[in-house]
Amino acid sequence: LSAGVCCCCAALRPRYKRLVDNIFPEDPKDGLVKADMEKLTFYAVSAPEKLDRIGAYLAERLSRDVVRHRYGYVLIAMEALDQLLMACHSQSIKPFVESFLHMVAKLLESGEPKLQILGTNSFVKFANIEEDTPSYHRRYDFFVSRFSAMCHSCDPDPEIQNGIRMAGIRGIQGVVRKAVNDELRATIWEPQHMDKIVPSLLFNMHKIEDVDSRIGPPSSPAAGVKEENPSVLAENCFRELLGRATYGNMNNAVRPVFAHLDHHRLWDPNEFAVSCFKIIMYSIQAQYSHHVIQEILGHLDVRKRDSPRVRAGIIQVLLEAVAIAAKGSIGPTVLEVFNTLLKHLRISVDFELGDRRSSAESGTLSTSSKESDERIVQNAIIQTIGFFGSNLPDYQRSEIMMFIMSKVPVLGTTSKSLDPSNLGDLGTRRIQIMLLRSLLMVTSGYKSTTISNALPAPFLDPLLSPSLMEDSELRQLVLEILHNLIDRHDNRAKLRGIRIIPDVSDLKIKRDKISRQDVSFMKKHGQQLYRHIYLGCKEEDNVQKNFELLFTSLALTTIELANEEVVIDLIRLAIALQDMAIINEDNLPMFNRCGVMALVAAYLNFLSQMIAVPAFCQHVSKVIETRSVEAAYFLPETIFKEKSDLPKSLEKDEKDLFFLTNKIAESLGGSGYNVERLSVPYVPQVTDEDRLSRRKSIVDTVSIQVDILSGNGSEDKVDNTEEITFEALKKAIDNNGLEEQEKEKRRLVIEKFQKAPFEEIAAQCETKANMLHDRLAQILELTIRPPPSPSGTMTITSGHAHYHSVPVYEMKFPDLCVY
């Protein structure tokens, strides 16, 4: 009767139709007839082959009721369908599901919000049902499109708009769950579906960012607000979607994110973009992190011509991504990240210099806003490189250190990736500073068991090259990088600032006994470190920070790498620095000379307390006390004040103000130190780095001063010694038939001084010094025919005798050429 037929016809109707008709009451307000619904459910379970007919008939009734706006009967029909779905799990349910989905589609197509929400709720219930067998023909294209459209509802009623959007998000969540659990799960990951699903979720997620911007890793939405807020529900669905992504479909889920951020211009500002990628990185499986990083790098290449702030926003997103990915598996992406970032660093420098040249040509001297924005891009790149490298495992970090160092351009050479030829000096310096700053971040916190692992020769040589550049900032960065690598016990903070430390024991310095590997390292590369410290002190543009970092370098070398031999070498280096400041062959300003003197005082005070030799400590303390009274400008606490008085000249005869080699030798010799090498003045090695650093090579000015101390321990030095150079020796030698031989000998000697171990050179120098003493003494006894004008004089102090100046006429001693 309820179906509009007579009693006789109703009796002739199929049983399934009669059972379906009986569940509908006369008044829809009474709701589903539960007793008849139980009969229909029992019938469907007993005769599963009738399910498809039951579903088709219910769909027919529902379609008719939707057209007639009889929404009460629509609710009853959907409730009946839901109960049948939950009760029946046979293979025959497949045709019934098709009828069910057809009815859900009818509801979603209607313009009534209540019916759309009703159809969505039924679909979600269906999505949670696990079917016994997969469906190879079922597709969800319509539902993806419809649910995505519901996510963008713009109904004028906020409550209705909120309900429709939440229904659309739940529908997408149901589609994802159903498709992923199906055998044909790849269908939902196709680009045409992801291009609808992902932007719909992001559109709703963005609303919460307008109200409450997240800081730090995003947390999972609370269950209490998930049902009330479309934004949080969308985020939860987005997390679930990414969590189900696999290796083959990860990129399809990530690429629509870039399209959404581009379309809505969300890279500047980029708070929402950062939040999105934090969600992505924390939601996906760790082994797929490199896919996301590759996509970000690719998008950075695509947008390389965009405004600097857009590029900076993308790089900041990359920084957040690699900060998370570096803690897990990043696969082969490491070098790709650095290559791409270095390329964009070069592009940014090109843009900056181009803007600067344009400003100069137009007569505008002020820094343009675009140039300032390029600095933001560069800082973001540096921060990303450094942060990424500092979070890598040690074995990968050492490789990255080598990789970055190989990219630092050096004036006079060509770089592997950053050719400075088109940048000029200014551009090259900018890239040098930025790469060294990133390398400083990479080396932060790096701990190596042996110093040779932290400073291998292929890394040490190019690292120390910028320390000879005529740029104080470059030299500071190099020293700070060295500190990161040498300081294995975190003592650097205790040594910060150059000062006279009253009691070193109060610093509670941590140290271990030097290992064999470290001893071997110092034998091979110690002279190289000393050379760069020595030459670094001679730079005219040194400021207080340079002297502080040089002091820290000496102190850390003492703590981490000093045995008895290294201690002697460090003392020789300190005395050589003192002599450099006193003699001042390089015409340094008075501030630099006093700064070097203060550096030597601070370091010898530290060293004397570290090795704890009482006589040595007494000599150092006495000199420091004398300086505090008579020459306070030789102490760091005075010279590095903002307004400090500088002397007009340095008197060489005021020996009480200087650290004396013979006094140090006496104090250390009594404590078992081998002090023979203290009598050999320190001379830095000769390398090609001077040419690369564009400074005058010390090869052009190197000379040997014959200054042999008297054997009775006299402190007096003779000032009128003559400098014997290679040229003077060459003229003194009879070149008849020996010129080519002597050229080859000089070449071999120079090569030996460059490559031979220090111990071998020191031993040979000692032998030659004794030979020189004997030969020069013999010169005075020779019968010489005086020429009209002597070529020069030489003053020699030997043993207990003091010889007066005599003419030098002939020297036929080829073995002296080593000097």
Side-chain angles (χ1 to χ4, degrees):
L1 292 175
S2 61
V5 295
C6 64
C7 296
C8 296
C9 294
L12 297 176
R13 291 170 62 80
R15 184 182 179 186
Y16 72 88
K17 289 188 177 182
R18 286 185 277 124
L19 291 174
V20 171
D21 291 338
N22 291 338
I23 65 175
F24 292 93
E26 293 184 4
D27 187 356
K29 295 180 180 180
D30 295 336
L32 183 66
V33 181
K34 295 183 179 181
D36 291 327
M37 185 65 213
E38 292 177 358
K39 294 179 182 178
L40 177 62
T41 302
F42 179 78
Y43 177 77
V45 172
S46 302
E49 68 277 2
K50 300 292 184 178
L51 271 174
D52 57 336
R53 300 183 184 182
I54 294 173
Y57 185 59
L58 277 171
E60 179 185 343
R61 287 196 56 131
L62 183 137
S63 299
R64 185 169 63 248
D65 291 336
V66 169
V67 173
R68 296 176 179 178
H69 299 285
R70 299 169 64 179
Y71 298 136
Y73 288 118
V74 172
L75 295 175
I76 294 174
M78 292 306 301
E79 185 178 355
L81 283 169
D82 292 343
Q83 292 189 23
L84 289 174
L85 278 174
M86 299 300 294
C88 304
H89 296 282
S90 65
Q91 295 181 358
S92 302
I93 200 175
K94 300 302 178 185
F96 177 77
V97 170
E98 298 303 324
S99 300
F100 169 78
L101 294 178
H102 177 70
M103 287 183 280
V104 171
K106 285 288 185 181
L107 297 179
L108 296 178
E109 287 177 338
S110 68
E112 181 63 33
K114 292 183 179 179
L115 296 184
Q116 294 178 3
I117 295 174
L118 176 64
T120 301
N121 292 338
S122 296
F123 183 84
V124 171
K125 293 178 182 178
F126 162 71
N128 292 328
I129 297 176
E130 294 184 4
E131 301 183 47
D132 296 336
T133 56
S135 176
Y136 295 100
H137 62 281
R138 189 185 307 153
R139 298 183 65 86
Y140 301 100
D141 301 28
F142 168 80
F143 296 99
V144 171
S145 300
R146 189 58 194 160
F147 288 137
S148 299
M150 292 170 63
C151 291
H152 294 82
S153 174
C154 297
D155 195 281
D157 188 342
E159 186 176 352
I160 295 177
Q161 180 190 104
N162 189 65
I164 294 177
R165 288 187 178 184
M166 291 186 67
I169 297 169
R170 290 195 189 97
I172 289 177
Q173 195 173 31
V175 171
V176 172
R177 290 177 180 175
K178 196 64 178 175
V180 169
N181 291 332
D182 218 343
E183 289 293 332
L184 298 180
R185 61 181 63 185
T187 304
I188 196 63
W189 297 105
E190 292 177 356
Q192 63 265 27
H193 297 319
M194 288 291 106
D195 290 343
K196 299 174 182 177
I197 292 175
V198 174
S200 301
L201 298 177
L202 296 177
F203 175 78
N204 286 275
M205 288 168 57
H206 193 201
K207 299 303 177 182
I208 197 173
E209 298 297 329
D210 296 337
V211 179
D212 181 19
S213 178
R214 290 190 182 86
I215 300 176
S219 58
S220 299
V225 298
K226 182 174 63 174
E227 299 299 330
E228 301 176 0
N229 195 324
S231 304
V232 179
L233 182 62
E235 180 180 327
N236 188 45
C237 181
F238 189 52
R239 290 174 181 275
E240 183 177 348
L241 173 68
L242 295 168
R244 296 174 180 271
T246 59
Y247 179 85
N249 49 50
M250 174 60 63
N251 293 342
N252 290 340
V254 174
R255 285 170 185 165
V257 178
F258 295 103
H260 179 83
L261 297 175
D262 290 342
H263 179 71
H264 294 279
R265 299 179 180 178
L266 297 175
W267 295 112
D268 178 32
N270 67 338
E271 287 80 5
F272 178 71
V274 171
S275 177
C276 283
F277 278 92
K278 282 186 177 181
I279 293 174
I280 293 173
M281 297 303 296
Y282 280 113
S283 299
I284 64 175
Q285 302 180 45
Q287 63 268 30
Y288 303 147
S289 297
H290 63 280
H291 281 288
V292 181
I293 296 176
Q294 287 174 334
E295 290 296 322
I296 299 175
L297 293 173
H299 195 69
L300 182 61
D301 287 335
V302 171
R303 305 298 298 272
K304 64 183 179 181
R305 297 296 177 185
D306 280 30
S307 66
R309 291 189 174 274
V310 170
R311 287 181 282 127
I314 299 174
I315 294 170
Q316 180 66 27
V317 168
L318 178 63
L319 171 61
E320 299 293 342
V322 299
I324 300 171
K327 300 175 182 178
S329 173
I330 52 178
T333 316
V334 179
L335 292 181
E336 183 180 352
V337 170
F338 288 102
N339 268 326
T340 303
L341 290 175
L342 292 176
K343 178 178 67 176
H344 285 276
L345 183 64
R346 167 62 188 270
I347 292 173
S348 179
V349 172
D350 283 340
F351 286 160
E352 179 187 356
L353 296 180
D355 293 338
R356 183 173 299 180
R357 285 190 291 267
S358 300
S359 300
E361 292 173 359
S362 62
T364 304
L365 299 179
S366 60
T367 303
S368 64
S369 60
K370 187 174 181 181
E371 182 179 342
S372 300
D373 291 342
E374 290 296 343
R375 295 292 180 95
I376 298 175
V377 175
Q378 294 161 15
N379 290 333
I381 293 175
I382 293 170
Q383 189 178 10
T384 304
I385 291 176
F387 195 84
F388 190 18
S390 63
N391 281 278
L392 291 174
D394 287 345
Y395 71 93
Q396 280 189 325
R397 200 191 310 194
S398 59
E399 295 177 359
I400 294 305
M401 288 158 47
M402 299 275 291
F403 179 80
I404 296 177
M405 199 65 242
S406 67
K407 303 301 180 183
V408 177
V410 179
L411 293 170
T413 64
T414 57
S415 178
K416 295 181 180 179
S417 66
L418 299 178
D419 184 9
S421 57
N422 298 327
L423 293 175
D425 292 353
L426 180 60
T428 301
R429 178 186 178 275
R430 288 283 298 153
I431 291 182
Q432 286 173 334
I433 290 178
M434 288 185 286
L435 288 181
L436 289 177
R437 283 174 56 193
S438 63
L439 185 59
L440 178 63
M441 295 184 65
V442 171
T443 56
S444 178
Y446 180 72
K447 296 291 188 296
S448 178
T449 54
T450 61
I451 199 66
S452 57
N453 292 336
L455 290 170
F459 176 75
L460 181 63
D461 294 338
L463 174 64
L464 293 179
S465 294
S467 70
L468 300 180
M469 297 293 179
E470 296 176 354
D471 188 297
S472 62
E473 187 176 358
L474 280 173
R475 300 195 301 273
Q476 292 171 12
L477 289 171
V478 171
L479 291 175
E480 289 177 344
I481 293 170
L482 280 176
H483 297 170
N484 283 344
L485 298 174
I486 294 177
D487 184 18
R488 293 172 288 181
H489 297 87
D490 298 324
N491 293 312
R492 181 176 31 177
K494 306 171 185 177
L495 301 168
R496 185 172 290 114
I498 180 171
R499 63 197 187 280
I500 302 296
I501 303 174
D503 190 352
V504 174
S505 61
D506 292 340
L507 301 180
K508 297 182 180 179
I509 291 175
K510 299 177 183 178
R511 62 184 305 189
D512 294 328
K513 185 178 180 181
I514 184 170
S515 63
R516 291 183 178 179
Q517 293 85 350
D518 292 345
V519 172
S520 176
F521 174 85
M522 290 304 292
K523 288 183 178 180
K524 293 180 180 178
H525 304 289
Q527 295 298 320
Q528 197 172 358
L529 293 175
Y530 306 150
R531 159 190 165 82
H532 286 269
I533 293 175
Y534 180 84
L535 296 179
C537 292
K538 298 175 65 174
E539 296 293 343
E540 293 186 5
D541 60 342
N542 279 340
V543 295
Q544 179 178 350
K545 185 176 180 180
N546 291 88
F547 289 111
E548 290 178 352
L549 293 174
L550 289 166
F551 167 75
T552 305
S553 300
L554 290 168
L556 289 176
T557 304
T558 304
I559 296 171
E560 297 287 347
L561 302 170
N563 56 5
E564 290 189 3
E565 293 183 5
V566 174
V567 167
I568 297 298
D569 288 337
L570 290 171
I571 294 175
R572 292 175 60 233
L573 174 61
I575 298 300
L577 291 174
Q578 178 180 258
D579 294 342
M580 175 190 71
I582 297 173
I583 300 173
N584 196 26
E585 294 179 348
D586 298 290
N587 295 322
L588 294 175
M590 186 57 68
F591 170 79
N592 296 65
R593 298 172 68 185
C594 293
V596 173
M597 298 292 285
L599 168 64
V600 173
Y603 174 64
L604 289 182
N605 171 71
F606 175 82
L607 176 63
S608 63
Q609 296 186 57
M610 288 296 294
I611 63 177
V613 176
F616 185 25
C617 293
Q618 184 178 2
H619 172 63
V620 172
S621 300
K622 183 178 179 181
V623 173
I624 293 175
E625 290 176 3
T626 305
R627 288 185 178 185
S628 63
V629 176
E630 301 179 8
Y633 43 78
F634 283 167
L635 298 177
E637 288 81 0
T638 301
I639 188 61
F640 295 124
K641 288 182 179 180
E642 292 185 2
K643 295 181 180 179
S644 59
D645 296 330
L646 298 176
K648 296 181 179 179
S649 63
L650 297 184
E651 298 296 334
K652 302 179 182 180
D653 298 331
E654 297 179 356
K655 301 186 183 302
D656 293 339
L657 300 178
F658 306 141
F659 302 98
L660 302 178
T661 304
N662 62 321
K663 292 288 187 181
I664 297 175
E666 291 177 5
S667 61
L668 294 179
S671 298
Y673 282 82
N674 184 4
V675 296
E676 293 181 1
R677 286 189 297 129
L678 283 178
S679 61
V680 181
Y682 171 78
V683 178
Q685 288 180 333
V686 179
T687 67
D688 291 335
E689 291 174 344
D690 301 285
R691 175 181 58 81
L692 299 181
S693 64
R694 301 175 60 182
R695 66 161 76 229
K696 186 178 180 181
S697 176
I698 62 174
V699 177
D700 299 333
T701 59
V702 67
S703 62
I704 305 298
Q705 293 183 346
V706 181
D707 186 12
I708 305 176
L709 296 177
S710 59
N712 59 359
S714 174
E715 298 179 5
D716 297 331
K717 294 184 179 180
V718 183
D719 294 332
N720 56 346
T721 58
E722 178 187 7
E723 186 175 86
I724 301 179
T725 63
F726 287 113
E727 200 66 24
L729 291 175
K730 178 180 178 181
K731 292 179 180 179
I733 297 175
D734 185 3
N735 292 324
N736 295 332
L738 298 177
E739 183 176 358
E740 295 298 327
Q741 181 181 354
E742 296 304 327
K743 284 183 179 180
E744 178 66 17
K745 182 179 291 187
R746 283 193 296 272
R747 187 189 66 80
L748 294 175
V749 169
I750 293 174
E751 182 178 353
K752 184 173 184 179
F753 269 84
Q754 289 178 341
K755 299 181 179 180
F758 175 77
E759 288 74 10
E760 180 180 343
I761 296 174
Q764 185 176 5
C765 286
E766 183 178 1
T767 302
K768 295 296 182 181
N770 295 332
M771 183 184 300
L772 179 65
H773 173 273
D774 296 337
R775 294 295 178 90
L776 292 178
Q778 294 175 10
I779 292 176
L780 302 176
E781 301 176 0
L782 296 177
T783 302
I784 305 173
R785 179 172 50 86
S789 60
S791 60
T793 61
M794 176 179 296
T795 300
I796 304 169
T797 303
S798 175
H800 299 281
H802 298 273
Y803 300 96
H804 297 286
S805 298
V806 297
V808 177
Y809 306 117
E810 287 186 335
M811 295 180 63
K812 296 185 178 181
F813 305 107
D815 52 346
L816 296 183
C817 291
V818 296
Y819 297 97

